[in-house]
Amino acid sequence: MTTNPKARIEEIEGSRVVTNVDPLIVKEHYEINYLHSYGQDSEFFRQLGKGKLMGSRCRKCEYVYATPRGHCMFCGSETQWHELPLEGKIHTYTTCYSGSESFLNEVPFHLVMVEFEGVNSLFMGRLIGADEEDIEIGMKVKVKFRRNLQFSATDVYFVPDAP
Amino acid sequence: MSRKSSDVYMVSGGVTKFRKADPSRDFRLRVKEAFDYALNDINLTVSDIDGSVSCYFSDHFMRQVMAGAMVQDYLGLNPKPSKRLEGGGATGGLALQSGYEEIASGRMGVCAVLGFETMSQVNTWKGNEFIALASDTDFDYPVGGFYTGYYAMMARRHMYEFGTTVEQFAMVSVKNHANAMHNRFAQSPMKLTVEDVRNSPMVSTPLTRLDICNMSDGAAVAILASEEKAFEICDHPVRISGIGGGTDTMRLSDRPFGEVPLLPNEKKSDYSGLRYPGVHSFRAGRMAAIEAYNAAGITDPSDEIDIVEAYDSYSSAELQAYEDLGLCKYGEGGSFIEEGKALLGGKIPVNPSGGLIGAGHAIGATGVMQSVFLFWQLQHSIKKHFGSEKAQVSNARKGIVHTHAGTGTYEAVTAMEAVR
């Protein structure tokens, strides 16, 4: 064992940026990778690649969910996959001119909630192919799928139905 | 109402001025300022406090986990009991109720509720992203990723169901910015017109920049006490007459289309044909109100409540809250604001402090801030604290605080009542 009273910590050419001196403010960067599992909802995302929009149907009370869930929120029973129609109607909508940092390069974009015939709940998605002033509640829309799958809920989107 | 041995009182409060950015001190010192304000107002010392509930919304904003423990430490409250509570935008409202439970259970005689948030360390867009992580990250976040978008769709459906107008939403913003002019703690006092609100930049149709509250750095502290302690340490305690909570689906798309849970002064026939809550109304707020009113013995909120501090993260959300809270019937929110009923001097002033739109929104602090403002109203001490009595509601005896999380995913309603 040796001791070294002259030991010096290594100097770093750091990437930390001082943005203010008093109070002292430094800029720090942070990023992370997640290995995110879709768990029991995996089939929904896989089926988007086959051009199918899968909701859920309760095995017991037969309530049909446009956005899938493994168990029924009313009776707690397990659900089964239920293929949704590929056309629906706008229940409500908005056009976002601002948003979160990750989406700023996509604005403006239209968000819609869609109702389907014979389905009890709604589905949220993006609408393309329409100007803000063309969109209205009750408007018929068609379901479309991204060809190059991102395995994200944005693999499904809506366009206006032909008039 | 007869007083029970488990009655809980609010005895003091403190708030920092909410600011867009307050980098000269960290969250611990901001809470200390609010805490000392509350202690000094009734000559308490740290040794009078039996324990605390701390609350902040997101660990992402500061990337400091267990920040509540750091506040407990900084205030000199160690080694007394404490915990951190989180519930989205309702965080402060839920923490106040957790403090209530500490007293009502007999566990503590005096409990401090410590709310705070530091939102300025990331830019507004990143802040919006962190907030949007409080939506389903598999189905909703990748598509919208923006709370204003979610609330805008709810506002749009409210307009469709009930004929509500964008001008009526704007009137809420005009009112709350104006009320904030009488509140020295408020972040955004402004004299505006409906045209100003409509002409400000569109954020998410139909909501403009001025329909939306700001993000803030801020802290707020409420001191709660048992009946025995309250009258010993405080000349004008305010009784917490009831707490209520409600919940709803995380995803807006899962909201059912059923029947309205009725208040005692409503009839089923009032809402024939209305499919509820859909995405036009907040069922969690209605459920929270019903529970709080039952506990407080309120049978007709539209007649018995004198003042409301409501969760106006968006102007539309306040208008929708009038209905959820039973200040008027569903569908009448638009006329309630248009007829001036929510104004200072109106039938039931809503957010005479300025609310979130006028006073700011430091998420974990917000519900506690709203509670402190209501407490001062019911104490009739607004002049002392705000530096002006213009915001004092002259007949304030019974009031409620209302907070939201998510798209009304958690909601908390707390009823308070003046006793002296």
Side-chain angles (χ1 to χ4, degrees):
Chain A
M1 286 279 281
T2 54
T3 57
N4 179 11
K6 291 184 177 172
R8 298 282 297 267
I9 198 161
E10 188 185 351
E11 298 300 332
I12 301 168
E13 291 295 323
S15 59
R16 292 189 117 201
V17 176
V18 172
T19 64
N20 199 65
V21 177
D22 187 20
L24 182 59
I25 301 177
V26 294
K27 191 172 178 179
E28 293 175 348
H29 185 70
Y30 177 61
E31 64 179 60
I32 191 164
N33 288 315
Y34 286 95
L35 294 174
H36 180 73
S37 169
Y38 285 120
Q40 70 272 23
D41 296 329
S42 297
E43 184 68 1
F44 169 84
F45 295 92
R46 289 192 297 256
Q47 287 292 332
L48 294 179
K50 298 176 185 168
K52 289 183 179 179
L53 183 60
M54 303 301 285
S56 304
R57 179 189 180 89
C58 177
R59 290 171 190 271
K60 193 170 165 199
C61 73
E62 303 196 333
Y63 193 89
V64 181
Y65 297 90
T67 317
R69 50 190 294 154
H71 287 81
C72 180
M73 68 180 183
F74 294 103
C75 70
S77 303
E78 197 178 356
T79 60
Q80 60 194 37
W81 292 102
H82 179 89
E83 191 175 344
L84 299 175
L86 296 181
E87 45 205 31
K89 282 195 302 188
I90 291 179
H91 185 80
T92 189
Y93 65 95
T94 184
T95 302
C96 295
Y97 287 90
S98 185
S100 300
E101 191 171 77
S102 330
F103 300 89
L104 283 182
N105 59 351
E106 299 171 25
V107 297
F109 59 80
H110 311 306
L111 269 184
V112 292
M113 300 199 70
V114 175
E115 45 187 77
F116 296 98
E117 188 73 34
V119 177
N120 298 101
S121 71
L122 306 172
F123 189 88
M124 187 192 293
R126 296 271 185 99
L127 174 79
I128 63 169
D131 289 335
E132 183 192 325
E133 53 273 19
D134 298 330
I135 308 170
E136 57 182 21
I137 289 174
M139 179 176 158
K140 287 183 178 171
V141 291
K142 285 195 297 191
V143 178
K144 299 286 248 184
F145 302 93
R146 197 193 290 275
R147 289 200 302 186
N148 183 13
L149 287 190
Q150 303 298 304
F151 299 101
S152 154
T154 55
D155 285 345
V156 55
Y157 59 96
F158 298 90
V159 296
D161 204 353
Chain B
M1 294 290 287
S2 62
R3 285 186 197 144
K4 303 179 290 291
S5 59
S6 59
D7 273 354
V8 179
Y9 291 78
M10 187 157 165
V11 293
S12 196
V15 175
T16 66
K17 180 181 168 67
F18 282 17
R19 293 183 172 89
K20 181 73 187 164
D22 186 17
S24 63
R25 55 206 176 142
D26 72 10
F27 61 101
R28 297 168 302 169
L29 186 48
R30 274 194 289 279
V31 178
K32 171 118 177 100
E33 180 189 307
F35 183 62
D36 286 348
Y37 188 101
L39 291 183
N40 292 338
D41 196 39
I42 54 170
N43 299 313
L44 286 186
T45 63
V46 178
S47 62
D48 294 313
I49 308 293
D50 296 325
S52 75
V53 176
S54 74
C55 64
Y56 62 105
F57 159 58
S58 177
D59 298 302
H60 293 63
F61 279 104
M62 294 195 296
R63 203 150 68 85
Q64 172 65 65
V65 178
M66 287 218 331
M70 294 169 72
V71 167
Q72 177 83 354
D73 177 349
Y74 199 78
L75 298 183
L77 286 169
N78 288 340
K80 294 168 181 173
S82 185
K83 66 185 161 220
R84 176 251 180 131
L85 195 140
E86 185 278 318
T91 293
L94 292 167
L96 186 88
Q97 298 188 347
S98 182
Y100 171 100
E101 289 155 359
E102 298 286 19
I103 304 290
S105 68
R107 184 189 185 198
M108 295 182 195
V110 182
C111 178
V113 180
L114 313 167
F116 59 95
E117 204 82 42
T118 301
M119 303 178 75
S120 67
Q121 291 177 217
V122 297
N123 66 43
T124 298
W125 303 277
K126 187 55 88 177
N128 274 319
E129 200 174 301
F130 289 164
I131 292 167
L133 290 173
S135 62
D136 185 316
T137 53
D138 286 356
F139 289 93
D140 292 349
Y141 174 80
V143 174
F146 191 34
Y147 255 95
T148 308
Y150 306 150
Y151 273 79
M153 287 195 287
M154 297 188 78
R156 175 77 71 193
R157 190 68 197 188
H158 195 277
M159 294 167 69
Y160 179 83
E161 293 282 348
F162 302 122
T164 317
T165 65
V166 292
E167 287 75 20
Q168 289 168 335
F169 293 144
M171 287 171 196
V172 173
S173 168
V174 171
K175 166 179 72 71
N176 292 354
H177 282 108
N179 288 349
M181 294 175 78
H182 313 304
N183 177 359
R184 68 186 176 89
F185 297 101
Q187 181 174 338
S188 310
M190 276 191 263
K191 193 165 160 44
L192 298 171
T193 63
V194 166
E195 291 69 34
D196 293 332
V197 177
R198 291 314 301 166
N199 291 335
S200 72
M202 185 56 72
V203 176
S204 187
T205 57
L207 300 175
T208 72
R209 182 66 196 81
L210 287 170
D211 281 308
I212 306 167
C213 69
N214 287 305
M215 296 184 205
S216 314
D217 288 352
V221 170
I223 313 274
L224 309 182
S226 63
E227 176 158 8
E228 185 188 355
K229 274 282 183 189
F231 288 90
E232 179 191 317
I233 60 182
C234 177
D235 291 335
H236 295 283
V238 167
R239 194 164 69 93
I240 298 181
S241 49
I243 65 172
T247 55
D248 217 324
T249 64
M250 184 67 158
R251 300 186 302 216
L252 210 44
S253 52
D254 288 346
R255 300 285 159 88
F257 296 89
E259 291 184 359
V260 180
L262 298 176
L263 292 165
N265 61 321
E266 292 176 329
K267 299 185 298 293
K268 200 172 172 180
S269 59
D270 292 340
Y271 302 123
S272 55
L274 181 65
R275 298 164 77 220
Y276 183 91
V279 297
H280 54 76
S281 297
F282 296 95
R283 181 172 60 160
R286 172 49 67 105
M287 295 304 289
I290 288 173
E291 189 190 356
Y293 296 160
N294 280 343
I298 294 169
T299 55
D300 183 354
S302 68
D303 185 52
E304 295 170 58
I305 291 173
D306 306 315
I307 172 174
V308 177
E309 288 288 337
Y311 197 79
D312 57 325
S313 46
Y314 304 95
S315 59
S316 50
E318 180 180 309
L319 189 149
Q320 288 162 305
Y322 302 154
E323 304 170 352
D324 301 323
L325 298 172
L327 308 185
C328 59
K329 293 212 162 65
Y330 278 106
E332 296 175 357
S335 53
F336 190 83
I337 181 70
E338 190 159 359
E339 290 166 10
K341 289 176 179 168
L343 298 178
L344 262 173
K347 184 184 175 206
I348 309 175
V350 179
N351 289 325
S353 61
L356 284 58
I357 285 175
H361 189 20
I363 304 181
T366 295
V368 184
M369 171 194 78
Q370 295 173 279
S371 307
V372 172
F373 290 161
L374 178 64
F375 167 71
W376 288 338
Q377 286 281 358
L378 299 177
Q379 267 197 331
H380 288 256
S381 63
I382 283 292
K383 184 181 180 184
K384 174 182 176 186
H385 299 290
F386 280 14
S388 161
E389 62 184 345
K390 285 189 177 160
Q392 178 68 56
V393 175
S394 56
N395 66 334
R397 283 197 60 79
K398 287 186 183 181
I400 54 170
V401 186
H402 159 255
T403 55
H404 267 212
T407 47
T409 309
Y410 292 129
E411 295 202 33
V413 172
T414 298
M416 295 196 208
E417 191 173 333
V419 289
R420 287 186 171 171

